Amino acid sequence: MKKKYMGAKFVPYGTCSSNTNTGDLCTIAQKYNISLSGMNQAWFKQVVLPFSMRRFPGAFFLQGDSFIVVDKFGKRYACEKDFYQQRGMQMYQNPDRQVVFFVFDKRSRELYPGPIKGLGGPIPGDGVDKDCMVEGSNEEELTKGIKDLLAKVAPDFTLDSNFTSTLQAQIGRFNEYAREGKDPEFGRGDDTAQYCWHILRAKDNKFKNKTMYPIDQKKSSMHSSRVIYT
């Protein structure tokens, strides 16, 4: 059914449907030649790699403000505050986004850890899920850590050769947007729904847009948590 309605692409870890959802209505409709619509719009969510059922089931909220999500080129490709089905489709529709990278700093790690406080976000809690996070004090170290992890969890997926420099420039632009309170690339925080998905304003965030805060590139360790469509 996935192959028929969504092409030959492989969805590795399922969708947001219940385990008891076996698609009976679709089977009945096909038997009696009843046309179906919207079958190419699966309800996806993102998960952290390496995938494990013991983790919170999916990254529903991308909580945090001092973070960005980048593709294999080191560039943002959409608004990180879109809801989970939008983010899943954004990845599914582009093979270069089979794996994307949630880049955040020590501050966001401390303010938005774990599935409960982070409301299902991908930032690991303190002392747990270290297998899904790499650390680096700069973009070069971070890139090396990401490459090492990709070799284990997605060996056929490689970073662009300019990933490090592109990421560095992208973080610099994002930090300017955070200080100005306006994201001209993807309008992060402009939409009411996006603003509401970001539940809490951090106490130290005095900028106009509560969904953005400059990422610390100098003083704190930077981190990366992988997310993939499912």
Side-chain angles (χ1 to χ4, degrees):
M1 194 176 294
K2 286 188 294 186
K3 185 175 291 186
K4 177 178 180 179
Y5 290 106
M6 304 198 73
K9 295 179 181 178
F10 175 55
V11 184
Y13 305 117
T15 67
C16 289
S17 64
S18 168
N19 290 335
T20 58
N21 185 347
T22 57
D24 294 347
L25 180 61
C26 297
T27 303
I28 294 170
Q30 289 176 329
K31 180 179 179 180
Y32 293 99
N33 294 319
I34 300 172
S35 61
L36 299 170
S37 63
M39 295 295 288
N40 63 337
Q41 296 293 317
W43 204 260
F44 289 122
K45 67 180 183 297
Q46 296 166 306
V47 298
V48 175
L49 293 181
F51 178 73
S52 172
M53 288 298 292
R54 67 177 174 80
R55 303 192 207 280
F56 192 85
F60 289 97
F61 293 78
L62 296 191
Q63 281 290 53
D65 48 14
S66 54
F67 82 91
I68 57 175
V69 176
V70 300
D71 59 16
K72 65 180 289 183
F73 302 102
K75 298 178 67 175
R76 295 173 69 213
Y77 58 88
C79 175
E80 295 88 348
K81 294 298 180 178
D82 286 341
F83 68 88
Y84 56 93
Q85 196 269 347
Q86 289 175 306
R87 300 196 313 268
M89 289 301 293
Q90 289 159 0
M91 297 180 69
Y92 183 79
Q93 292 168 348
N94 189 326
D96 287 337
R97 300 172 191 158
Q98 181 184 359
V99 181
V100 295
F101 308 94
F102 184 97
V103 179
F104 57 103
D105 59 10
K106 182 178 180 181
R107 174 184 166 280
S108 272
R109 174 87 192 276
E110 294 173 347
L111 290 176
Y112 302 96
I116 303 302
K117 189 175 180 181
L119 297 174
I123 299 179
D126 187 30
V128 299
D129 289 346
K130 288 190 175 181
D131 61 328
C132 72
M133 188 180 74
V134 297
E135 301 181 38
S137 60
N138 53 50
E139 288 83 359
E140 289 81 6
E141 292 181 8
L142 196 60
T143 301
K144 182 181 183 303
I146 290 173
K147 287 181 177 179
D148 290 343
L149 186 63
L150 282 175
K152 299 176 182 178
V153 301
D156 295 329
F157 191 87
T158 58
L159 299 180
D160 181 72
S161 59
N162 295 316
F163 180 87
T164 302
S165 59
T166 303
L167 175 62
Q168 188 173 33
Q170 178 67 86
I171 293 175
R173 289 196 303 276
F174 173 81
N175 286 352
E176 287 300 314
Y177 303 160
R179 296 184 185 98
E180 296 169 1
K182 189 72 174 176
D183 174 13
E185 288 187 274
F186 302 106
R188 178 159 148 181
D190 287 352
D191 183 86
T192 301
Q194 294 173 7
Y195 209 70
C196 291
W197 275 94
H198 183 90
I199 305 298
L200 300 175
R201 174 185 284 276
K203 292 182 179 179
D204 64 345
N205 189 341
K206 307 301 182 183
F207 298 104
K208 294 179 182 179
N209 189 332
K210 71 174 182 178
T211 70
M212 297 189 291
Y213 191 93
I215 297 171
D216 189 345
Q217 291 179 274
K218 297 180 180 179
K219 297 179 181 179
S220 301
S221 293
M222 296 173 59
H223 312 274
S224 175
S225 178
R226 276 73 36 226
V227 288
I228 187 171
Y229 64 80
T230 181

